[in-house]
Amino acid sequence: MSTEHPSSAAPAPDVPQIDHEHADVSGGWLRAAVFGAMDGLVTNIGLIAGVGGAGVAAHTIALTGVAGLVAGAISMGLGEYASVRTANEQIEAEVAKERRELHRNPVAEADELAQRWIDRGISPDLARQIAQDLSRQPDEALRMHVREELGIDPDSKPSPWTAAISSFICFSIGALIPLLSYLLGSHSLWLALGIGGVGLFTAGALTARFTRRRWWSTGLRQLLLGAAAAGATYLIGDAIGVSAA
């Protein structure tokens, strides 16, 4: 008769670890930050290319860029705040409407929720049972109805202040990049546009960290879009400068 020591038993197979971590997609900062940085870059690259194409002095180009930075950053911050605040207020109004409906017609609302699940393939008995159980928990029932009927999570609304501050800061940083060479004493338009182009590519590549796309693809896309904007404003500035002369 042989006995095995517990330590000699075969090791348990490794259980694969599943990554369930997700990025925060509802906080409101990422969209505002990316949009702000890209808008700051493209806006000031376009401004610099336009006034530079008109043949104005380097001091005037720098002044135009600084004015564009300040005005654009304030506008972006206020716009993001108003936009997100308005969207949140609309969500709150719809949630309040759904709360009233649940209070007035709880049976009909439970049937409506069950029917949505039945349409998705859940068995009728199970769908109705879950809907009835939820109706006994008003807060959870409200959240579920809002998610199913409006497609939103009432507990995950973005912050208007987060969106505004992110947009303000990132626009300012983006708009500053093509101005750097002028602020440091250079008079070269093409150096400023080149630095702006590097900024566009870098900003686009950095977004790949959040979107999990190829960094060079997103960087090249932003560079081409910015180059198109700069080319258009340069040609307009050149035409106006020549005609005004």
Side-chain angles (χ1 to χ4, degrees):
M1 179 177 180
S2 63
T3 59
E4 287 188 356
H5 194 275
S7 62
S8 64
D14 292 336
V15 178
Q17 298 297 316
I18 301 176
D19 183 10
H20 284 295
E21 295 293 330
H22 295 283
D24 177 16
V25 297
S26 61
W29 70 271
L30 179 57
R31 181 194 62 83
V34 171
F35 184 54
M38 295 302 178
D39 197 26
L41 278 161
V42 173
T43 296
N44 254 13
I45 288 173
L47 281 173
I48 290 171
V51 295
V56 301
H59 174 74
T60 302
I61 295 176
L63 179 61
T64 301
V66 171
L69 186 158
V70 174
I74 294 173
S75 176
M76 286 290 294
L78 292 176
E80 282 292 337
Y81 179 86
S83 175
V84 175
R85 180 69 179 268
T86 301
N88 285 350
E89 289 172 350
Q90 183 183 27
I91 291 173
E92 290 166 2
E94 293 298 324
V95 170
K97 178 181 178 181
E98 189 63 29
R99 183 182 289 109
R100 290 193 299 270
E101 291 297 323
L102 284 170
H103 179 71
R104 293 171 183 171
N105 305 297
V107 176
E109 288 294 315
D111 289 341
E112 180 184 3
L113 184 61
Q115 188 58 52
R116 287 177 178 271
W117 290 334
I118 293 170
D119 292 341
R120 295 181 184 176
I122 297 178
S123 67
D125 291 340
L126 178 59
R128 294 189 182 98
Q129 181 62 50
I130 296 174
Q132 289 173 4
D133 289 344
L134 276 175
S135 65
R136 302 187 187 100
Q137 307 174 53
D139 291 339
E140 188 59 35
L142 176 62
R143 282 192 288 270
M144 185 60 67
H145 277 270
V146 170
R147 288 174 184 147
E148 290 293 327
E149 297 180 25
L150 303 179
I152 57 176
D153 187 344
D155 298 326
S156 299
K157 297 191 297 291
S159 165
W161 282 110
T162 299
I165 294 171
S166 298
S167 181
F168 179 90
I169 292 175
C170 291
F171 183 98
S172 300
I173 294 172
L176 179 63
I177 290 174
L179 273 177
L180 285 175
S181 62
Y182 281 107
L183 296 178
L184 293 175
S186 172
H187 292 180
S188 172
L189 172 64
W190 302 110
L191 176 60
L193 295 180
I195 293 173
V198 172
L200 278 170
F201 183 87
T202 302
L206 287 175
T207 62
R209 181 176 180 274
F210 303 100
T211 61
R212 299 184 181 181
R213 295 181 179 273
R214 293 173 292 187
W215 64 270
W216 59 266
S217 176
T218 55
L220 184 60
R221 178 182 62 191
Q222 296 303 327
L223 176 60
L224 292 176
L225 291 174
T233 55
Y234 180 87
L235 293 175
I236 293 172
D238 182 61
I240 294 176
V242 170
S243 62

